[in-house]
Amino acid sequence: MSAPVQAGQSAAEALRALRRQIETAARSAERDPKSVELMAVSKTLSIDAIAPFIKAGHDRFGENRVQEAKSKWPTLRQIASPAPIRLHLIGPLQTNKARDAVACFDVIETVDRPKIARALKAQMDAQNRPLPVLVQVNVGEEPQKAGCTPADTETFVAFCQREVGLDVRGLMAIPPFHEPPAPHFALVDTLADRCALPVRSFGMSHDYACAISQGATRIRIGSALFGPRDPAKP
Ligand SMILES: *Cc1c(COP(=O)(O)O)cnc(C)c1O
């Protein structure tokens, strides 16, 4: 299912191989491959490791730590320039990092509680940077994971839109690692329908084909594109 970068394989080849597999998964789900966006998750990777993927034309990336993104992406955006990069925050966010998150990212995918929703909106107003956001759903209701509960999702999305004034585009989720993902993906898809939100961000290296079959419109791929991460790093 996954196509990790082979030794000697170029970034362009790795991207092509992965795109082919995404197309196959989309076709077998009777979906248009263009309806699935590919986010390359570049957390823990160095600027030198990421740059070839930018030079190969990829423009959508995800990082899970604000500090790390802040140290890497100004340089990487210059490498991409004049082409724009779309950088997504996919890790948990503390309110004291809201300022840096709004300055550094183009999409925030991990809005999951009123306090962070308000902090982000205040920073977007202060910096005049109105960013699209996703609400993160803790779809397996795991105590260690961020996200609002499935039962609270509709109320929280409405709160973000009406009370806070955020531009909520969709839902993001990470299903429990040791359970079959399909029912979890299906639940997030249903919740997004109920909230009338178009974006469904779910599916990683090990389960993206399943995610595509369950309605993912954005998959977040790290190791299947870049190769295995250094296990010493988070
Ligand atoms: C690391 C990460 C990914 C990508 O994981 P892979 O298994 O390497 O594809 C996707 N989403 C989130 C939230 C992550 O933290």
Side-chain angles (χ1 to χ4, degrees):
M1 191 187 300
S2 61
V5 62
Q6 306 291 316
Q9 191 182 30
S10 71
E13 284 162 350
L15 280 163
R16 264 199 302 277
L18 179 58
R19 285 234 173 74
R20 269 199 299 275
Q21 300 200 27
I22 293 168
E23 268 175 42
T24 304
R27 292 239 163 73
S28 60
E30 297 182 359
R31 295 187 53 198
D32 179 355
K34 289 197 208 65
S35 68
V36 183
E37 294 171 338
L38 170 60
M39 180 203 303
V41 177
S42 52
K43 64 187 186 197
T44 79
L45 292 173
S46 68
I47 288 173
D48 288 347
I50 301 166
F53 290 82
I54 293 175
K55 288 176 185 150
H58 196 70
D59 64 356
R60 189 182 300 279
F61 292 85
E63 291 276 350
N64 67 341
R65 289 169 177 241
V66 175
Q67 282 312 112
E68 182 184 340
K70 210 179 144 186
S71 75
K72 283 157 45 176
W73 282 91
T75 307
L76 287 163
R77 284 187 197 274
Q78 268 182 355
I79 290 170
S81 174
I85 288 289
R86 285 170 288 192
L87 187 62
H88 297 236
L89 176 61
I90 58 170
L93 184 56
Q94 304 300 319
T95 47
N96 63 1
K97 298 274 173 63
R99 177 201 300 258
D100 284 346
V102 167
C104 182
F105 288 89
D106 304 295
V107 183
I108 310 282
E109 298 210 355
T110 49
V111 180
D112 67 349
R113 56 198 193 278
K115 198 175 166 203
I116 200 69
R118 290 197 194 282
L120 286 168
K121 181 63 163 76
Q123 282 303 324
M124 290 179 200
D125 289 347
Q127 299 180 36
N128 193 21
R129 252 177 86 71
L131 303 182
V133 305
L134 304 188
V135 163
Q136 182 174 0
V137 182
N138 186 356
V139 66
E141 306 197 47
E142 297 169 279
Q144 80 283 11
K145 240 174 224 168
C148 67
T149 65
D152 289 340
T153 300
E154 282 175 87
T155 308
F156 182 60
V157 166
F159 167 83
C160 288
Q161 293 172 317
R162 297 191 201 127
E163 304 281 318
V164 185
L166 285 173
D167 177 9
V168 183
R169 299 281 174 89
L171 302 180
M172 178 275 206
I174 312 164
F177 193 77
H178 294 292
E179 291 177 27
H184 293 291
F185 292 150
L187 175 55
V188 180
D189 191 57
T190 301
L191 290 170
D193 281 344
R194 279 197 207 135
C195 300
L197 295 173
V199 178
R200 292 107 212 261
S201 171
F202 52 72
M204 302 167 40
S205 291
H206 62 285
D207 59 11
Y208 68 84
C210 175
I212 289 169
S213 78
Q214 299 300 322
T217 65
R218 180 180 298 153
I219 56 174
R220 309 181 306 259
I221 307 294
S223 50
L225 188 60
F226 296 110
R229 276 185 296 279
D230 182 346
K233 294 183 184 172

